[in-house]
């Protein structure tokens, strides 16, 4: 094994526990959203690099030491990694903030979450059992749960470290090996976590990372015949391509895609509790969260009151570089900034309020002031499409039936919240909503590693988080034993 590089000062691909440049020698610049400056380079990998990574992952899965470890031993390694992430929390958070632009407070939380995923799934590695199925006399039927084999994990840039934990920890817990293609826009924390995995003793080929662009490295990975399962988090457009690639190779996939998640506020809601959450559910991570609560549906009798409160809060939001304060940070890239600004400029819906960009903000950073739109036509473009930026739409509704119709009236279905003190209404509305998670009188619940997460329709399919993710990252074999 090569001596391990410092993964963040001279990033390379991690293949079979060795750091290697792209076979082509090509690199991509790493740009900080805080000031738009290039501060590192990553391999611009392609099919040749993916071939190497898959070969390493295949060998580790079939013949390497990983294949001989018990579930308890796998779990112990994962717990060690969890502790190392916590030890390195501050350094990792600094990397994340420079690479992704998110406020340092958020990055610290993300590292705790990344560690928590390895803790949760490391502890679960030996606890998902098979079953014995009653069948005919003189038969013994056992249902085993087995790993898929080599799992391709493709991730976006918005919660880079957390998403490593969310997708890779359950895959490893079930005994798979992994080839990760993190986002070309933010991948340094993923490389560093992989480096820590090597440090705590993960055998060669178990956790491989290939950096690069989606249309080259990502495409080569998803279309590779050596991949047994794909875990994809990203946009619906790319999710469709992933699903086609998976279908051609007859492998399964989970798709964690976008959202246009509604927060529904009824007239009997506890507004003191709701208002700060309504705002934070959107502006956290500058609106770049798949489960961002980007539509607030408000019961007509309290519409003006809630809007007045939201207006005050939006006008008080200051956007700036990612210090300790509760500032909202920049967007990930110049491209994303232009995309969000275009949505704002092209919308024909009224603007209620805007935040402001702080005076000390670097002019070449990718900052966008948050915008509160409303009252919005629920069918308008800004209220239908995922902006993935700090844009919140408020929409009035007259009764429960209309609230549900508006909430379910986009192509997406990821998360929703319901704010009401009426217990029967809480249950009725939660049941009627088309999505994967409903929060009643709260939102997001601090990440919730334990809580199964995923979407319906354009938000994707399959579930990550929770024990259920272990089902996704494994498959069932039934053994029918006749002993008569
Ligand atoms: P994206 O789809 O552009 O990219 C995601 C990943 O896919 C990146 O690593 C990219 O390089 C790769 N990729 C791009 N083209 C590819 C191709 N042809 N083949 C294989 N891989 C390819 O998404 P993004 O801009 O990085 O992230 C934003 C999107 O992700 C939003 O829609 C957001 O809602 C979604 N997202 C969803 C979740 C969730 O859990 N549901 C979480 C975070 C982000």
């Amino acid at each position: 094994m090569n001596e391990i590089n410092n993964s963040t000062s001279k990033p390379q691909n991690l293949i079979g526990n060795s750091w290697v440049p792209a076979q082509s020698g090509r690199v991509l610049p790493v740009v900080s959203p805080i000031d738009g400056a290039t501060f590192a380079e990553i391999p611009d990998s392609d099919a040749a690099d993916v071939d190497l990574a898959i070969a390493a992952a295949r060998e580790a899965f079939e013949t390497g030491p990983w294949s001989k470890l018990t579930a308890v031993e796998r779990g112990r390694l994962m717990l060690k990694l969890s502790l190392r992430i916590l030890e390195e929390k501050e350094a990792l958070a600094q990397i994340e903030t420079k690479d992704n632009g998110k406020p340092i407070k958020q990055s610290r939380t993300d590292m705790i979450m990344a560690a928590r995923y390895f803790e949760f799934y490391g502890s679960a590695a030996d606890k998902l059992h098979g079953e014995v199925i009653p069948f005919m006399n003189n038969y013994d039927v056992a249902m085993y749960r087995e790993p898929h084999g080599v799992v391709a994990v493709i991730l976006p840039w918005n919660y880079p470290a957390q998403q490593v934990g969310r997708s890779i920890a359950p895959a490893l817990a079930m005994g798979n090996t992994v080839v990760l293609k993190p986002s070309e826009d933010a991948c340094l924390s993923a490389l560093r976590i992989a480096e820590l995995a090597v440090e705590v003793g993960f055998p060669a080929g178990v956790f491989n990372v290939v950096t690069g662009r989606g249309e080259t490295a990502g495409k080569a990975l998803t279309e590779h015949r050596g991949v047994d399962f794909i875990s994809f988090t990203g946009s619906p457009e790319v999710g469709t391509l992933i699903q086609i690639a998976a279908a051609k190779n007859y492998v399964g996939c989970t798709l964690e895609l976008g959202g246009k998640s509604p927060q529904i506020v009824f007239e009997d809601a506890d507004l003191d509790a709701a208002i700060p959450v309504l705002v934070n559910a959107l502006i956290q991570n500058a609106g770049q969260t798949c489960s961002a609560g980007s539509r607030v549906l408000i019961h007509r009798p309290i519409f003006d009151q809630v809007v007045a409160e939201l207006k005050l809060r939006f006008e008080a939001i200051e956007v700036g570089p990612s210090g300790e304060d509760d500032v909202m940070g920049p967007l990930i890239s110049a491209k994303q900034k232009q995309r969000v600004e275009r949505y704002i400029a092209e919308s024909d819906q009224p603007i209620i309020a805007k935040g402001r960009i702080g005076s000390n903000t670097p002019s070449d950073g990718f900052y966008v002031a948050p915008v509160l739109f409303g009252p919005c036509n629920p069918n308008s473009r800004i209220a239908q499409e995922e902006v993935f930026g700090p844009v919140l739409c408020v929409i009035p509704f007259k009764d429960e039936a209309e609230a549900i119709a508006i909430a379910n009236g986009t192509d997406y279905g990821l998360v929703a919240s319901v704010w009401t003190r009426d217990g029967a209404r809480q249950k009725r509305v939660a049941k009627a909503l088309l999505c994967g998670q409903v929060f009643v009188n709260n939102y997001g619940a601090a990440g919730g590693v334990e809580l199964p997460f995923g979407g319906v329709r354009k938000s994707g399919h399959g579930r990550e988080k929770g024990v259920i993710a272990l089902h996704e990252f494994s498959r069932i074999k039934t053994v029918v034993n006749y002993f008569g």
Side-chain angles (χ1 to χ4, degrees), residues 23-179:
Q23 300 299 294
S24 67
R26 284 195 307 266
V27 291
L28 295 170
V30 180
V31 175
S32 177
I34 296 170
D35 54 10
T38 297
F39 67 96
E41 288 173 337
I42 52 168
D44 182 11
S45 310
D46 58 26
D49 308 290
V50 167
D51 280 347
L52 291 177
I54 302 257
R58 174 65 53 200
E59 191 183 335
F61 180 72
E62 285 180 0
T63 54
W66 186 246
S67 62
K68 299 177 183 64
L69 291 189
T70 62
V72 185
E73 290 165 332
R74 287 200 305 270
R76 283 187 188 137
L77 271 178
M78 293 175 64
L79 293 172
K80 277 192 194 168
L81 177 55
S82 170
L83 290 174
R84 277 298 284 131
I85 293 171
L86 287 179
E87 281 166 10
E88 292 284 317
K89 181 183 117 188
E90 187 55 31
L92 274 163
Q94 297 292 344
I95 294 167
E96 193 83 312
T97 285
K98 191 163 183 187
D99 198 14
N100 169 285
K102 61 178 67 194
I104 188 71
K105 253 168 72 172
Q106 178 66 47
S107 290
R108 290 186 183 123
T109 305
D110 285 7
M111 297 316 146
I112 294 168
M113 295 301 297
R116 173 79 182 114
Y117 279 111
F118 285 100
E119 179 190 45
F120 181 85
Y121 289 112
S123 312
D126 58 342
K127 295 181 187 64
L128 189 67
H129 305 147
E131 285 178 21
V132 173
I133 300 173
F135 192 52
M136 294 188 284
N137 288 340
N138 298 338
Y139 283 84
D140 204 9
V141 180
M143 193 189 87
Y144 293 88
R145 207 165 265 289
E146 299 181 336
H148 292 292
V150 175
V151 172
V153 175
I154 301 198
L155 296 179
W157 41 260
N158 55 344
Y159 291 85
Q162 273 210 50
Q163 284 155 345
V164 165
R166 189 177 90 186
S167 299
I168 289 179
L172 296 181
M174 292 313 295
N176 301 284
T177 57
V178 167
V179 177

Side-chain angles (χ1 to χ4, degrees), residues 255-271:
L255 300 180
E256 299 282 2
L257 310 177
K260 193 74 182 174
S261 298
Q263 307 187 73
I264 310 172
V265 190
F266 286 95
E267 60 179 330
D268 65 340
D270 176 351
L271 292 185

